[in-house]
Amino acid sequence: MEIMSDILSAELFLPRIAAAADDAALDALEQELFGRKSGVLTMAMKDLPALDPEARKAKAAELNVAKKALEEAFAAKRKTLSAAALGALAQTDALDVTLNLPAKPAGHLHLIPEFIREVEQVFSRMGFVSASGPEVETESNNFNLLNIPPEHAARDAQDSFWVKSGKESKERLVLRTHTSPVQIRFMQSHKPPFRAIFPGKVYRKDADATHSPMFHQFEGLMVGTDVSLANMKAVMITAIRELIDPEAEFRFRTGYFPFVEPGLEVDMRWRGDESKSREGKWLEVVGCGMVHPNVLKNCGIDPEVYQGFAFGFGIERMIMIKHQIPDLRAFYDGDPRFLQQF
Ligand code: DAH
C-alpha cells in the first residue's frame, strides 16, 4: 500500500476538521485518522518498518509533523465548538446559577432590641440573669403586691389599659404599666440571694414627643443579706457609663415610688442642642431604690434577713440621649431613612 503523504493527509483533513459541525463529526474524523485498526495515520505508521532506514527516518519525521498539526487542529476546533455551545446556552437558558451575584443587602435589628441585647450583656457581666414576664398582668401583680395603694393615679382608667374586669384584683387584668410586676413573679419563684433584670414592653395611655402608649423598660432586682444603696449606685453608674457613654452626665435625686424606700430618680443630661430636647436639659431615665419591706413580705421574703434594691430604666429615653433623637415616635414610624442610621 502506498504510504500516504503527511502533507496530503494534513491538507485533506485540516479543512474537514475546520468544517466539522459538532463534536460527533469531530469524533468520526478522529476515528478516520487515528483509529487503531484502519486510521489513515495509524496505517501510515504501520507501514514504516517496510521502508529502508533512510526513507523510514524521513517519513517518520514528516508523519510526526502532520500528526501534531492535526491534533492541534482538533483541540482548537473542540474549543470553538464548546464556546459556541455555551453562547447558545446563554441564549436559551439565561439563568446561570454559577454566577457570583452581588450580596443581597441584609437587614439588622431595630435599635430597641439591639439595645436590649447590650443591656443583657452589660448586666450579665455584673452577675445579673435576664428573665421576662407577661405583658397582660393581674392587677395584683401590677399594683397591689408592689405596695401601690388603691387610690394611686396609675390605677385610673385614664392612665392604664384595662383588659378584663372582675371581683378580685387577681382576676382583673391590665396591660402592665411597668416591668416592676416581674419583680413579684421572680421573688415568688426564687430564693435570695439573686440578681436579675427584666426587659420588655409596657403600656400607658400617653402620647407625645417623649411618651408613647407602648414603650420599653428594663427592671433590675438584687436581693441578698448585705445589699446596700451604695451597691445600687455603683451598679447604676456602671450601667449608664457602659450603655450610653463613659462621660455621660447624670444626677441622683430623691423620688417617690411606693415599692421602694428610700426611692431615687436618675436624670441624664441631654447631649447636644438643648432646644432639640422637648423636656429640657435633664431627662428622667430611671427610678430606683431599696425594695420596700412590704413588697418583700408580699413575696414571702423576710425583710429582717434580706434587703435589696430595684430599678426601672426607660429604654427609649436612654437611646434618645445616646443618639440625640428628639422625638420618641421615630422609633415606631418604621421609616427606613431613620432606622438605617443605626
Ligand atoms: N416602675 C417605675 C415606673 O415605671 C420605675 C421604677 C421606679 C422601677 C423605682 C423600680 C424602682 O424598680 O425601684 O415608673
Side-chain angles (χ1 to χ4, degrees):
M1 184 188 182
E2 169 114 21
I3 290 177
M4 187 187 76
S5 143
D6 56 311
I7 305 298
L8 186 66
S9 71
E11 270 174 6
L12 269 174
F13 280 90
L14 287 175
R16 288 178 67 194
I17 295 172
D22 52 24
D23 275 343
L26 275 182
D27 290 345
L29 272 173
E30 225 165 16
Q31 194 59 28
E32 211 180 306
L33 268 167
F34 305 123
R36 281 217 299 145
K37 281 198 181 140
S38 53
V40 175
L41 236 108
T42 318
M43 304 299 282
M45 296 282 198
K46 272 189 187 158
D47 288 341
L48 281 177
L51 299 173
D52 56 50
E54 275 297 299
R56 191 195 309 153
K57 215 176 154 195
K59 199 74 204 165
E62 280 176 22
L63 284 175
N64 273 329
V65 171
K67 188 175 176 227
K68 208 168 162 244
L70 288 163
E71 279 170 349
E72 280 170 7
F74 274 112
K77 183 65 186 176
R78 284 199 195 279
K79 236 180 162 174
T80 330
L81 280 178
S82 90
L86 271 183
L89 189 66
Q91 297 284 316
T92 54
D93 185 358
L95 178 68
D96 179 357
V97 293
T98 65
L99 209 63
N100 278 331
L101 296 171
K104 270 201 182 147
H108 58 80
L109 280 181
H110 184 275
L111 72 173
I112 292 177
E114 186 184 60
F115 188 78
I116 291 176
R117 290 196 186 182
E118 277 172 39
V119 167
E120 288 175 330
Q121 282 167 11
V122 165
F123 277 90
S124 83
R125 288 200 287 273
M126 293 191 275
F128 286 71
V129 298
S130 180
S132 60
E135 288 169 27
V136 177
E137 255 304 358
T138 60
E139 179 184 11
S140 78
N141 282 345
N142 195 79
F143 297 119
N144 304 48
L145 297 174
L146 283 165
N147 204 36
I148 300 177
E151 61 278 6
H152 196 282
R155 299 208 183 201
D156 199 300
Q158 296 302 311
D159 293 312
S160 306
F161 295 101
W162 289 91
V163 174
K164 189 169 164 254
S165 56
K167 275 206 196 97
E168 303 274 325
S169 66
K170 275 191 187 139
E171 293 163 22
R172 288 194 286 272
L173 298 179
V174 65
L175 292 187
R176 67 179 180 195
T177 59
H178 50 181
T179 44
S180 305
V182 194
Q183 284 188 41
I184 303 294
R185 289 177 177 270
F186 197 86
M187 285 194 275
Q188 285 176 342
S189 55
H190 293 80
K191 263 184 126 22
F194 45 67
R195 302 172 205 192
I197 55 164
F198 319 121
K201 292 184 170 67
V202 301
Y203 302 85
R204 290 183 204 173
K205 284 190 181 173
D206 262 340
D208 62 36
T210 48
H211 295 89
S212 146
M214 184 283 298
F215 61 103
H216 296 75
Q217 289 187 334
F218 68 92
E219 196 81 9
L221 179 67
M222 176 168 177
V223 176
T225 49
D226 53 1
V227 179
S228 70
L229 195 79
N231 296 149
M232 183 189 82
K233 285 183 82 174
V235 167
M236 314 279 285
I237 291 171
T238 305
I240 291 173
R241 290 199 172 136
E242 289 202 23
L243 289 167
I244 312 263
D245 183 339
E247 317 264 88
E249 277 184 80
F250 48 85
R251 64 180 186 188
F252 284 85
R253 59 192 166 80
T254 53
Y256 172 71
F257 302 97
F259 33 92
V260 284
E261 179 58 39
L264 298 171
E265 284 178 38
V266 185
D267 297 333
M268 289 204 47
R269 197 188 172 105
W270 178 256
R271 296 157 0 129
D273 186 352
E274 267 171 33
S275 66
K276 287 222 172 113
S277 161
R278 308 254 175 107
E279 292 237 323
K281 64 180 178 185
W282 293 103
L283 215 56
E284 185 201 332
V285 289
V286 41
C288 54
M290 299 303 288
V291 180
H292 197 289
N294 288 351
V295 176
L296 292 173
K297 266 189 244 159
N298 290 343
C299 300
I301 294 174
D302 184 352
E304 299 296 329
V305 181
Y306 294 103
Q307 71 285 151
F309 62 79
F311 54 82
F313 277 87
I315 290 180
E316 282 82 350
R317 293 203 170 186
M318 291 184 83
I319 305 176
M320 286 168 80
I321 290 171
K322 183 167 183 170
H323 297 300
Q324 297 173 26
I325 298 166
D327 193 326
L328 162 140
R329 288 168 291 204
F331 288 117
Y332 317 114
D333 284 345
D335 185 337
R337 288 171 302 179
F338 170 74
L339 297 172
Q340 278 161 4
Q341 295 176 49
F342 305 99

PDB file of all heavy atoms in Angstrom, residues 274-299:
ATOM      1  N   GLU A 274     -29.752  71.796  73.233  1.00  0.00           N
ATOM      2  CA  GLU A 274     -30.822  71.699  74.244  1.00  0.00           C
ATOM      3  C   GLU A 274     -32.189  72.053  73.683  1.00  0.00           C
ATOM      4  O   GLU A 274     -33.208  71.546  74.140  1.00  0.00           O
ATOM      5  CB  GLU A 274     -30.521  72.597  75.441  1.00  0.00           C
ATOM      6  CG  GLU A 274     -29.797  71.838  76.530  1.00  0.00           C
ATOM      7  CD  GLU A 274     -29.283  72.747  77.626  1.00  0.00           C
ATOM      8  OE1 GLU A 274     -29.927  73.763  77.917  1.00  0.00           O
ATOM      9  OE2 GLU A 274     -28.219  72.422  78.181  1.00  0.00           O
ATOM     10  N   SER A 275     -32.214  72.899  72.658  1.00  0.00           N
ATOM     11  CA  SER A 275     -33.507  73.296  72.105  1.00  0.00           C
ATOM     12  C   SER A 275     -34.170  72.117  71.399  1.00  0.00           C
ATOM     13  O   SER A 275     -35.355  72.135  71.097  1.00  0.00           O
ATOM     14  CB  SER A 275     -33.338  74.451  71.124  1.00  0.00           C
ATOM     15  OG  SER A 275     -32.607  74.004  69.996  1.00  0.00           O
ATOM     16  N   LYS A 276     -33.371  71.061  71.144  1.00  0.00           N
ATOM     17  CA  LYS A 276     -33.937  69.881  70.463  1.00  0.00           C
ATOM     18  C   LYS A 276     -34.556  68.895  71.440  1.00  0.00           C
ATOM     19  O   LYS A 276     -35.212  67.945  71.057  1.00  0.00           O
ATOM     20  CB  LYS A 276     -32.843  69.160  69.662  1.00  0.00           C
ATOM     21  CG  LYS A 276     -32.443  69.923  68.424  1.00  0.00           C
ATOM     22  CD  LYS A 276     -32.280  68.971  67.262  1.00  0.00           C
ATOM     23  CE  LYS A 276     -32.064  69.686  65.959  1.00  0.00           C
ATOM     24  NZ  LYS A 276     -30.739  69.457  65.416  1.00  0.00           N
ATOM     25  N   SER A 277     -34.295  69.079  72.743  1.00  0.00           N
ATOM     26  CA  SER A 277     -34.926  68.200  73.717  1.00  0.00           C
ATOM     27  C   SER A 277     -36.197  68.859  74.195  1.00  0.00           C
ATOM     28  O   SER A 277     -36.171  69.956  74.744  1.00  0.00           O
ATOM     29  CB  SER A 277     -33.996  67.959  74.902  1.00  0.00           C
ATOM     30  OG  SER A 277     -34.755  67.488  75.991  1.00  0.00           O
ATOM     31  N   ARG A 278     -37.324  68.170  74.008  1.00  0.00           N
ATOM     32  CA  ARG A 278     -38.594  68.783  74.402  1.00  0.00           C
ATOM     33  C   ARG A 278     -38.738  68.837  75.919  1.00  0.00           C
ATOM     34  O   ARG A 278     -39.628  69.475  76.434  1.00  0.00           O
ATOM     35  CB  ARG A 278     -39.743  67.973  73.817  1.00  0.00           C
ATOM     36  CG  ARG A 278     -39.619  67.742  72.339  1.00  0.00           C
ATOM     37  CD  ARG A 278     -40.584  68.608  71.568  1.00  0.00           C
ATOM     38  NE  ARG A 278     -40.343  68.444  70.141  1.00  0.00           N
ATOM     39  CZ  ARG A 278     -41.145  67.782  69.333  1.00  0.00           C
ATOM     40  NH1 ARG A 278     -42.239  67.257  69.794  1.00  0.00           N
ATOM     41  NH2 ARG A 278     -40.867  67.677  68.058  1.00  0.00           N
ATOM     42  N   GLU A 279     -37.901  68.083  76.638  1.00  0.00           N
ATOM     43  CA  GLU A 279     -38.054  68.035  78.093  1.00  0.00           C
ATOM     44  C   GLU A 279     -37.055  68.905  78.831  1.00  0.00           C
ATOM     45  O   GLU A 279     -36.994  68.860  80.041  1.00  0.00           O
ATOM     46  CB  GLU A 279     -37.905  66.588  78.592  1.00  0.00           C
ATOM     47  CG  GLU A 279     -39.021  65.695  78.157  1.00  0.00           C
ATOM     48  CD  GLU A 279     -39.733  65.035  79.302  1.00  0.00           C
ATOM     49  OE1 GLU A 279     -39.070  64.665  80.277  1.00  0.00           O
ATOM     50  OE2 GLU A 279     -40.964  64.886  79.216  1.00  0.00           O
ATOM     51  N   GLY A 280     -36.226  69.661  78.120  1.00  0.00           N
ATOM     52  CA  GLY A 280     -35.209  70.452  78.788  1.00  0.00           C
ATOM     53  C   GLY A 280     -33.931  69.680  78.861  1.00  0.00           C
ATOM     54  O   GLY A 280     -33.772  68.665  78.192  1.00  0.00           O
ATOM     55  N   LYS A 281     -32.999  70.144  79.704  1.00  0.00           N
ATOM     56  CA  LYS A 281     -31.687  69.510  79.630  1.00  0.00           C
ATOM     57  C   LYS A 281     -31.565  68.223  80.444  1.00  0.00           C
ATOM     58  O   LYS A 281     -30.676  67.427  80.207  1.00  0.00           O
ATOM     59  CB  LYS A 281     -30.588  70.501  79.978  1.00  0.00           C
ATOM     60  CG  LYS A 281     -30.622  71.032  81.380  1.00  0.00           C
ATOM     61  CD  LYS A 281     -29.469  71.998  81.580  1.00  0.00           C
ATOM     62  CE  LYS A 281     -29.525  72.588  82.974  1.00  0.00           C
ATOM     63  NZ  LYS A 281     -28.513  73.614  83.175  1.00  0.00           N
ATOM     64  N   TRP A 282     -32.467  68.007  81.408  1.00  0.00           N
ATOM     65  CA  TRP A 282     -32.408  66.755  82.176  1.00  0.00           C
ATOM     66  C   TRP A 282     -33.600  65.880  81.825  1.00  0.00           C
ATOM     67  O   TRP A 282     -34.736  66.342  81.820  1.00  0.00           O
ATOM     68  CB  TRP A 282     -32.418  67.032  83.679  1.00  0.00           C
ATOM     69  CG  TRP A 282     -31.190  67.721  84.165  1.00  0.00           C
ATOM     70  CD1 TRP A 282     -31.088  69.045  84.486  1.00  0.00           C
ATOM     71  CD2 TRP A 282     -29.907  67.141  84.374  1.00  0.00           C
ATOM     72  NE1 TRP A 282     -29.798  69.333  84.889  1.00  0.00           N
ATOM     73  CE2 TRP A 282     -29.045  68.176  84.833  1.00  0.00           C
ATOM     74  CE3 TRP A 282     -29.366  65.859  84.239  1.00  0.00           C
ATOM     75  CZ2 TRP A 282     -27.707  67.971  85.149  1.00  0.00           C
ATOM     76  CZ3 TRP A 282     -28.031  65.653  84.546  1.00  0.00           C
ATOM     77  CH2 TRP A 282     -27.218  66.696  84.990  1.00  0.00           C
ATOM     78  N   LEU A 283     -33.342  64.633  81.527  1.00  0.00           N
ATOM     79  CA  LEU A 283     -34.396  63.689  81.167  1.00  0.00           C
ATOM     80  C   LEU A 283     -34.368  62.559  82.202  1.00  0.00           C
ATOM     81  O   LEU A 283     -33.319  61.943  82.419  1.00  0.00           O
ATOM     82  CB  LEU A 283     -34.064  63.129  79.782  1.00  0.00           C
ATOM     83  CG  LEU A 283     -35.187  62.804  78.815  1.00  0.00           C
ATOM     84  CD1 LEU A 283     -36.077  64.011  78.581  1.00  0.00           C
ATOM     85  CD2 LEU A 283     -34.596  62.340  77.488  1.00  0.00           C
ATOM     86  N   GLU A 284     -35.518  62.289  82.830  1.00  0.00           N
ATOM     87  CA  GLU A 284     -35.540  61.211  83.811  1.00  0.00           C
ATOM     88  C   GLU A 284     -35.460  59.877  83.068  1.00  0.00           C
ATOM     89  O   GLU A 284     -36.236  59.616  82.156  1.00  0.00           O
ATOM     90  CB  GLU A 284     -36.858  61.270  84.594  1.00  0.00           C
ATOM     91  CG  GLU A 284     -36.896  60.247  85.704  1.00  0.00           C
ATOM     92  CD  GLU A 284     -38.318  59.935  86.159  1.00  0.00           C
ATOM     93  OE1 GLU A 284     -39.191  60.806  86.045  1.00  0.00           O
ATOM     94  OE2 GLU A 284     -38.528  58.799  86.620  1.00  0.00           O
ATOM     95  N   VAL A 285     -34.486  59.047  83.428  1.00  0.00           N
ATOM     96  CA  VAL A 285     -34.366  57.767  82.725  1.00  0.00           C
ATOM     97  C   VAL A 285     -34.592  56.565  83.633  1.00  0.00           C
ATOM     98  O   VAL A 285     -34.857  55.474  83.155  1.00  0.00           O
ATOM     99  CB  VAL A 285     -33.006  57.583  82.002  1.00  0.00           C
ATOM    100  CG1 VAL A 285     -32.911  58.498  80.800  1.00  0.00           C
ATOM    101  CG2 VAL A 285     -31.845  57.769  82.931  1.00  0.00           C
ATOM    102  N   VAL A 286     -34.464  56.753  84.933  1.00  0.00           N
ATOM    103  CA  VAL A 286     -34.608  55.585  85.794  1.00  0.00           C
ATOM    104  C   VAL A 286     -35.108  55.958  87.184  1.00  0.00           C
ATOM    105  O   VAL A 286     -34.773  57.004  87.727  1.00  0.00           O
ATOM    106  CB  VAL A 286     -33.273  54.770  85.859  1.00  0.00           C
ATOM    107  CG1 VAL A 286     -32.081  55.660  85.949  1.00  0.00           C
ATOM    108  CG2 VAL A 286     -33.249  53.764  87.004  1.00  0.00           C
ATOM    109  N   GLY A 287     -35.982  55.072  87.695  1.00  0.00           N
ATOM    110  CA  GLY A 287     -36.398  55.168  89.084  1.00  0.00           C
ATOM    111  C   GLY A 287     -35.771  53.985  89.798  1.00  0.00           C
ATOM    112  O   GLY A 287     -35.569  52.932  89.201  1.00  0.00           O
ATOM    113  N   CYS A 288     -35.438  54.190  91.077  1.00  0.00           N
ATOM    114  CA  CYS A 288     -34.775  53.093  91.793  1.00  0.00           C
ATOM    115  C   CYS A 288     -34.909  53.285  93.297  1.00  0.00           C
ATOM    116  O   CYS A 288     -35.411  54.312  93.753  1.00  0.00           O
ATOM    117  CB  CYS A 288     -33.304  53.008  91.397  1.00  0.00           C
ATOM    118  SG  CYS A 288     -32.404  54.560  91.612  1.00  0.00           S
ATOM    119  N   GLY A 289     -34.459  52.316  94.031  1.00  0.00           N
ATOM    120  CA  GLY A 289     -34.499  52.448  95.480  1.00  0.00           C
ATOM    121  C   GLY A 289     -34.317  51.097  96.141  1.00  0.00           C
ATOM    122  O   GLY A 289     -34.102  50.085  95.475  1.00  0.00           O
ATOM    123  N   MET A 290     -34.422  51.128  97.496  1.00  0.00           N
ATOM    124  CA  MET A 290     -34.323  49.882  98.256  1.00  0.00           C
ATOM    125  C   MET A 290     -35.725  49.270  98.336  1.00  0.00           C
ATOM    126  O   MET A 290     -36.689  49.956  98.687  1.00  0.00           O
ATOM    127  CB  MET A 290     -33.795  50.168  99.672  1.00  0.00           C
ATOM    128  CG  MET A 290     -32.401  50.786  99.704  1.00  0.00           C
ATOM    129  SD  MET A 290     -31.137  49.792  98.847  1.00  0.00           S
ATOM    130  CE  MET A 290     -30.933  48.419  99.990  1.00  0.00           C
ATOM    131  N   VAL A 291     -35.805  47.989  97.990  1.00  0.00           N
ATOM    132  CA  VAL A 291     -37.114  47.321  97.920  1.00  0.00           C
ATOM    133  C   VAL A 291     -37.857  47.492  99.254  1.00  0.00           C
ATOM    134  O   VAL A 291     -37.305  47.251 100.336  1.00  0.00           O
ATOM    135  CB  VAL A 291     -36.953  45.814  97.596  1.00  0.00           C
ATOM    136  CG1 VAL A 291     -38.322  45.134  97.517  1.00  0.00           C
ATOM    137  CG2 VAL A 291     -36.197  45.628  96.293  1.00  0.00           C
ATOM    138  N   HIS A 292     -39.116  47.944  99.162  1.00  0.00           N
ATOM    139  CA  HIS A 292     -39.917  48.208 100.366  1.00  0.00           C
ATOM    140  C   HIS A 292     -40.149  46.896 101.131  1.00  0.00           C
ATOM    141  O   HIS A 292     -40.459  45.867 100.506  1.00  0.00           O
ATOM    142  CB  HIS A 292     -41.264  48.804  99.941  1.00  0.00           C
ATOM    143  CG  HIS A 292     -41.992  49.484 101.049  1.00  0.00           C
ATOM    144  ND1 HIS A 292     -42.558  48.788 102.087  1.00  0.00           N
ATOM    145  CD2 HIS A 292     -42.227  50.798 101.299  1.00  0.00           C
ATOM    146  CE1 HIS A 292     -43.125  49.638 102.926  1.00  0.00           C
ATOM    147  NE2 HIS A 292     -42.936  50.877 102.464  1.00  0.00           N
ATOM    148  N   PRO A 293     -40.029  46.934 102.470  1.00  0.00           N
ATOM    149  CA  PRO A 293     -40.221  45.700 103.247  1.00  0.00           C
ATOM    150  C   PRO A 293     -41.581  45.044 102.970  1.00  0.00           C
ATOM    151  O   PRO A 293     -41.680  43.806 102.952  1.00  0.00           O
ATOM    152  CB  PRO A 293     -40.151  46.168 104.713  1.00  0.00           C
ATOM    153  CG  PRO A 293     -39.481  47.488 104.681  1.00  0.00           C
ATOM    154  CD  PRO A 293     -39.625  48.068 103.307  1.00  0.00           C
ATOM    155  N   ASN A 294     -42.607  45.840 102.700  1.00  0.00           N
ATOM    156  CA  ASN A 294     -43.929  45.252 102.398  1.00  0.00           C
ATOM    157  C   ASN A 294     -43.881  44.399 101.128  1.00  0.00           C
ATOM    158  O   ASN A 294     -44.551  43.369 101.035  1.00  0.00           O
ATOM    159  CB  ASN A 294     -44.981  46.350 102.193  1.00  0.00           C
ATOM    160  CG  ASN A 294     -45.353  47.022 103.500  1.00  0.00           C
ATOM    161  OD1 ASN A 294     -44.957  46.550 104.575  1.00  0.00           O
ATOM    162  ND2 ASN A 294     -46.078  48.120 103.417  1.00  0.00           N
ATOM    163  N   VAL A 295     -43.099  44.847 100.166  1.00  0.00           N
ATOM    164  CA  VAL A 295     -43.016  44.101  98.903  1.00  0.00           C
ATOM    165  C   VAL A 295     -42.303  42.766  99.137  1.00  0.00           C
ATOM    166  O   VAL A 295     -42.732  41.719  98.654  1.00  0.00           O
ATOM    167  CB  VAL A 295     -42.308  44.949  97.821  1.00  0.00           C
ATOM    168  CG1 VAL A 295     -42.120  44.147  96.537  1.00  0.00           C
ATOM    169  CG2 VAL A 295     -43.085  46.229  97.536  1.00  0.00           C
ATOM    170  N   LEU A 296     -41.219  42.821  99.927  1.00  0.00           N
ATOM    171  CA  LEU A 296     -40.513  41.569 100.246  1.00  0.00           C
ATOM    172  C   LEU A 296     -41.471  40.608 100.951  1.00  0.00           C
ATOM    173  O   LEU A 296     -41.568  39.433 100.588  1.00  0.00           O
ATOM    174  CB  LEU A 296     -39.296  41.859 101.136  1.00  0.00           C
ATOM    175  CG  LEU A 296     -38.137  42.634 100.473  1.00  0.00           C
ATOM    176  CD1 LEU A 296     -37.079  43.008 101.515  1.00  0.00           C
ATOM    177  CD2 LEU A 296     -37.493  41.815  99.351  1.00  0.00           C
ATOM    178  N   LYS A 297     -42.209  41.155 101.929  1.00  0.00           N
ATOM    179  CA  LYS A 297     -43.158  40.311 102.683  1.00  0.00           C
ATOM    180  C   LYS A 297     -44.204  39.715 101.761  1.00  0.00           C
ATOM    181  O   LYS A 297     -44.548  38.532 101.853  1.00  0.00           O
ATOM    182  CB  LYS A 297     -43.866  41.148 103.774  1.00  0.00           C
ATOM    183  CG  LYS A 297     -43.185  41.062 105.127  1.00  0.00           C
ATOM    184  CD  LYS A 297     -44.068  41.725 106.178  1.00  0.00           C
ATOM    185  CE  LYS A 297     -43.322  42.951 106.735  1.00  0.00           C
ATOM    186  NZ  LYS A 297     -44.193  43.949 107.363  1.00  0.00           N
ATOM    187  N   ASN A 298     -44.726  40.553 100.831  1.00  0.00           N
ATOM    188  CA  ASN A 298     -45.751  40.072  99.888  1.00  0.00           C
ATOM    189  C   ASN A 298     -45.261  38.886  99.056  1.00  0.00           C
ATOM    190  O   ASN A 298     -46.046  38.137  98.502  1.00  0.00           O
ATOM    191  CB  ASN A 298     -46.151  41.199  98.920  1.00  0.00           C
ATOM    192  CG  ASN A 298     -46.944  42.288  99.617  1.00  0.00           C
ATOM    193  OD1 ASN A 298     -47.461  42.076 100.724  1.00  0.00           O
ATOM    194  ND2 ASN A 298     -47.028  43.450  98.990  1.00  0.00           N
ATOM    195  N   CYS A 299     -43.931  38.771  98.961  1.00  0.00           N
ATOM    196  CA  CYS A 299     -43.380  37.684  98.141  1.00  0.00           C
ATOM    197  C   CYS A 299     -42.779  36.575  99.002  1.00  0.00           C
ATOM    198  O   CYS A 299     -42.046  35.711  98.499  1.00  0.00           O
ATOM    199  CB  CYS A 299     -42.318  38.238  97.195  1.00  0.00           C
ATOM    200  SG  CYS A 299     -42.955  39.483  96.083  1.00  0.00           S
TER     201      CYS A 299
END
